[in-house]
Amino acid sequence: MSQNNIANNSDEPRVELENFIPYRLSVLSNFVSGSIATIYSERFNISIMEWRVIAVLGNYQPLSANEICERTNMDKVQVSRAVSSLTKSGRVLRKTDKKDRRKSQLRLAAKGMKVYQQIVPLALERERQLLMPFNAKEMKEFDQLLSKLEARARELCITS
């Protein structure tokens, strides 16, 4: 029996990726992140991961690397690389925590805050363009559905 016949056997469970919600969300995320990432990289010479670190620090600094991981859902390696690059470029400052010398407190340097202040309007404009097809009622419903989906996804990650 050929591989095609095995894959098309109607008794076997199948997944059609174009209709599989996790796949569709991933593709959408890649499109959205990719469209704004071009702006980050071309204008500011930073990666998506570096932007996420800048964005979270711009709102909640100072933070430890672990706190950045929690707020961004990035893994430790991604955060470590982004912080290292941002520190080398003078955009992030690292200060050893006085209470726990194993921890560092991270905050935006003036150069990092300038990048944050320049990117935020661009990111918000991209978001506005993306959400343009929704009216106010649809936007509220979409936000509620996303919140429900995110909460359930977190539950499933915790129980797995």
Side-chain angles (χ1 to χ4, degrees):
M1 187 181 277
S2 74
Q3 287 294 83
N4 285 344
N5 289 340
I6 292 172
N8 291 326
N9 184 343
S10 61
D11 294 338
E12 296 293 322
R14 294 181 37 196
V15 63
E16 294 178 2
L17 284 179
E18 61 275 5
N19 296 320
F20 186 57
I21 294 297
Y23 175 78
R24 292 177 66 193
L25 289 172
S26 177
V27 169
L28 176 62
S29 175
N30 290 340
F31 277 134
V32 173
S33 291
S35 73
I36 193 91
T38 302
I39 295 170
Y40 305 155
S41 67
E42 289 177 1
R43 293 191 197 176
F44 304 98
N45 195 30
I46 61 173
S47 69
I48 292 172
M49 301 306 165
E50 290 167 335
W51 162 243
R52 288 180 183 166
V53 170
I54 288 172
V56 77
L57 287 175
N59 287 313
Y60 304 106
Q61 66 184 341
L63 292 173
S64 68
N66 283 339
E67 290 168 323
I68 292 172
C69 290
E70 290 168 13
R71 289 192 175 271
T72 61
N73 200 32
M74 293 166 54
D75 67 44
K76 290 179 182 182
V77 172
Q78 291 172 314
V79 170
S80 178
R81 286 182 183 150
V83 166
S84 178
S85 176
L86 291 167
T87 302
K88 286 178 189 170
S89 69
R91 293 178 171 135
V92 167
L93 301 172
R94 182 190 314 256
K95 185 177 179 186
T96 303
D97 189 309
K98 291 177 184 172
K99 294 177 186 172
D100 184 349
R101 306 228 16 108
R102 296 169 298 167
K103 280 175 54 176
S104 293
Q105 291 295 308
L106 303 165
R107 63 183 326 109
L108 292 178
K111 194 174 177 181
M113 185 56 79
K114 184 176 179 182
V115 169
Y116 174 78
Q117 291 169 340
Q118 290 175 322
I119 291 180
V120 166
L122 300 171
L124 291 174
E125 174 57 20
R126 183 53 57 112
E127 178 189 50
R128 187 191 68 72
Q129 290 172 358
L130 179 66
L131 298 174
M132 203 180 293
F134 295 147
N135 63 37
K137 181 181 179 218
E138 290 170 328
M139 193 58 232
K140 185 176 180 179
E141 290 171 351
F142 180 65
D143 185 57
Q144 291 170 339
L145 291 170
L146 278 178
S147 293
K148 279 184 176 180
L149 195 56
E150 183 180 3
R152 182 62 181 146
R154 287 181 190 274
E155 287 174 14
L156 291 173
C157 283
I158 292 169
T159 61
S160 295

